[in-house]
Amino acid sequence: MNVLLIGSGGREHAIAWKLAQSKDLTKLYISPGNPGTAQCGENVPIGSDDTAELLEFARQNQVELAVVGPEDPLAAGLVDKFESAGIKAFGPSGKAAQLEADKAFAKQLMRSSSVSTAEGRTFDRYADAKAYIASRDEPVVIKAAGLAKGKGVFVCDDPSDGILAAEKVMCDKIFGPAGNVVVVEDKLLGEEASILAFVDGRNIYVMESSQDHKQIGDGDTGPNTGGMGAYSPAPVVTEGLIKQITREILVPVVDGMNRNGTPYKGVLYAGIMVTAGGPRVLEFNVRFGDPETQPILMRLKSDLLEVLLAVCDGKLDQITLEWDHRPAVCVVMASGGYPDDYQKGKKITGLSEATQLEDVIVFHAGTKEDNGDIVTAGGRVLGVTALGQTIADAKTRAYEAVDMIGFDGAYCRRDIADKAVKTVS
Ligand code: AMP
Ligand code: GLY
């Protein structure tokens, strides 16, 4: 079977790496891909927003399955377009993708489905948001309702910072129209976890748990990013908690989407805060998480293509998934300055040496080829991922590989997986 994977990040390199091992794969195309995905299949220089060209390419190359990685083309309805053209596509419809693309919609769905989340209000006028925030004396969280590449959330311990954040989002439009509406939430306390599940419209299969590291600095300090590292499994997620999250969050959401007339299929990602009062939803994503996918897929032993097809065909109840018992840790190497401005075009050294380490995969994200060199081309550059016998071992091995790789201004957090190491030791 020929497969077309859409996207160019670390998540897509991980998906491509795993699909390339599938027994039913004939040819894998990745559009536009990156130098990492080029090692798993053939990169095709078509942007993820160029629907007409993607469809034309798929028709001409006998593509039988399209896999849409990122949220923007999902929210724009790319899956619907493939399906209308008679090509199977993995991911939710444009309408179902609103669960991520419109945080006000997600809040509303959670409310109507009795899913626990932070108390919140939605505003489309800055003056109203400001008055509400000013009336509070507890910490607030300000969220641009639309898509903002993981950077649209401001956790403000002081309400006056919340007013400034709302002004930047709603008046200065730092995220463009994604900030036309904001959600103002109570701040939740606890430890975070990412719960990713395959959903085929009806059946739910919860993958192994993971934890992201959203903030730029060690010890969870500084502004939010797309994610600076992840590990799987997350010890904070016990078996009992998985059952509770499935029963109280995933099932009601999948049912709610069916009731809405927007059935959900694809990966449903629940960002969870494990509070003293139980799990609460921070956000939903409608796709594989980045960088969570890198450690999760390194641990998946089953054939990913088979799973994706079972989701598309509504047959998730007919397959079982096998996982490597060993934990995996992914450390993101970023360009200095990220998540603000950063320079590009820096030559990356040490990639081939690091790649030779056993059970280590260096997933590419913001990289490109330049005259035979691999150079930096984005904020998050690489996701260096290792399996280990224990989470501490996986961490040591990931950093060993990180330390073999260099580029001008390279930055990474040094504490990825520390919470898990402390929990299990
Ligand atoms: P989101 O994109 O909505 O998941 O938010 C990004 C990050 O902001 C989350 O991973 C949390 O670290 C933080 N965050 C979001 N909402 C809240 C909240 N209500 N309380 C505390 N932290 C939050
Ligand atoms: N790692 C968070 C995300 O994929 O949005």
Side-chain angles (χ1 to χ4, degrees):
M1 169 178 290
N2 292 349
V3 177
L4 173 62
L5 169 65
I6 288 130
S8 61
R11 161 186 51 219
E12 283 74 27
H13 185 186
I15 296 171
W17 170 79
K18 193 66 198 159
L19 284 176
Q21 300 164 33
S22 171
K23 63 174 178 6
D24 294 323
L25 184 82
T26 310
K27 176 102 195 191
L28 176 63
Y29 298 102
I30 310 99
S31 59
N34 64 37
T37 63
Q39 296 161 15
C40 314
E42 184 182 329
N43 284 353
V44 181
I46 307 175
S48 59
D49 53 354
D50 200 340
T51 311
E53 265 212 60
L54 287 170
L55 289 175
E56 184 55 27
F57 178 86
R59 274 194 213 101
Q60 281 183 3
N61 292 277
Q62 290 81 46
V63 166
E64 286 179 68
L65 174 70
V67 180
V68 184
E71 58 275 23
D72 289 292
L74 286 168
L78 189 53
V79 163
D80 315 58
K81 303 265 172 48
F82 275 109
E83 287 178 346
S84 304
I87 298 167
K88 272 184 199 169
F90 179 85
S93 66
K95 281 199 175 132
Q98 297 312 302
L99 205 49
E100 170 169 1
D102 182 356
K103 285 184 193 287
F105 168 85
K107 275 305 222 201
Q108 180 55 41
L109 187 98
M110 284 189 265
R111 205 167 296 134
S112 62
S113 307
S114 304
V115 168
S116 291
T117 180
E119 207 47 56
R121 305 242 326 237
T122 299
F123 297 95
D124 58 7
R125 279 171 32 118
Y126 169 68
D128 297 340
K130 182 179 173 188
Y132 174 69
I133 301 165
S135 72
R136 303 170 50 97
D137 47 18
E138 311 91 46
V140 285
V141 181
I142 311 296
K143 300 184 172 187
L147 295 176
K149 307 220 172 302
K151 298 173 204 161
V153 173
F154 299 85
V155 180
C156 305
D157 285 324
D158 191 326
S160 61
D161 293 335
I163 292 175
L164 275 179
E167 189 180 336
K168 279 196 227 155
V169 173
M170 299 186 89
C171 307
D172 304 344
K173 294 270 186 266
I174 55 171
F175 305 118
N180 288 351
V181 172
V182 296
V183 175
V184 180
E185 273 187 8
D186 291 353
K187 179 180 172 183
L188 297 172
L189 296 178
E191 192 171 333
E192 283 184 52
S194 304
I195 303 296
L196 279 68
F198 290 110
V199 178
D200 69 359
R202 198 165 43 94
N203 302 292
I204 299 171
Y205 179 95
V206 183
M207 293 177 231
E208 290 283 285
S209 62
S210 61
Q211 190 177 68
D212 189 9
H213 296 67
K214 282 269 176 188
Q215 284 168 277
I216 187 75
D218 283 15
D220 297 333
T221 51
N224 275 335
T225 68
M228 294 304 293
Y231 60 85
S232 171
V236 66
V237 183
T238 58
E239 280 208 13
L241 195 59
I242 289 277
K243 287 201 181 112
Q244 191 182 1
I245 290 168
T246 306
R247 192 176 61 237
E248 296 177 5
I249 296 170
L250 300 176
V251 169
V253 165
V254 171
D255 285 350
M257 294 298 276
N258 275 323
R259 267 199 313 279
N260 253 351
T262 52
Y264 195 90
K265 72 174 172 59
V267 170
L268 177 58
Y269 164 142
I272 302 285
M273 185 72 89
V274 183
T275 72
R280 305 272 182 273
V281 176
L282 294 171
E283 64 164 344
F284 288 113
N285 292 322
V286 296
R287 50 174 173 78
F288 281 106
D290 191 343
E292 292 95 326
T293 302
Q294 289 81 320
I296 290 177
L297 289 188
M298 260 190 93
R299 297 188 56 222
L300 179 65
K301 285 180 158 175
S302 310
D303 188 315
L304 181 63
L305 182 51
E306 208 177 293
V307 182
L308 301 187
L309 287 170
V311 168
C312 292
D313 296 340
K315 293 183 175 163
L316 201 45
D317 52 342
Q318 294 178 21
I319 58 165
T320 46
L321 273 70
E322 268 190 77
W323 299 92
D324 195 322
H325 70 276
R326 291 175 297 169
V329 171
C330 169
V331 177
V332 169
M333 297 183 74
S335 298
Y338 175 79
D340 296 324
D341 292 343
Y342 51 83
Q343 291 183 340
K344 298 182 189 172
K346 307 292 181 191
K347 182 176 168 180
I348 306 173
T349 57
L351 281 173
S352 45
E353 291 82 351
T355 310
Q356 273 159 28
L357 296 174
E358 206 186 332
D359 288 328
V360 170
I361 308 273
V362 180
F363 291 114
H364 288 235
T367 66
K368 73 171 192 189
E369 208 193 312
D370 183 22
N371 282 323
D373 289 332
I374 303 291
V375 302
T376 65
R380 294 190 294 169
V381 178
L382 300 166
V384 182
T385 313
L387 286 164
Q389 286 305 327
T390 61
I391 190 88
D393 181 35
K395 177 189 169 185
T396 307
R397 293 166 48 75
Y399 280 106
E400 201 182 306
V402 164
D403 290 334
M404 295 168 90
I405 300 170
F407 53 88
D408 192 15
Y411 169 79
C412 68
R413 276 179 65 161
R414 284 277 154 193
D415 64 343
I416 303 302
D418 276 1
K419 279 195 204 114
V421 172
K422 277 191 204 109
T423 309
V424 295
S425 60

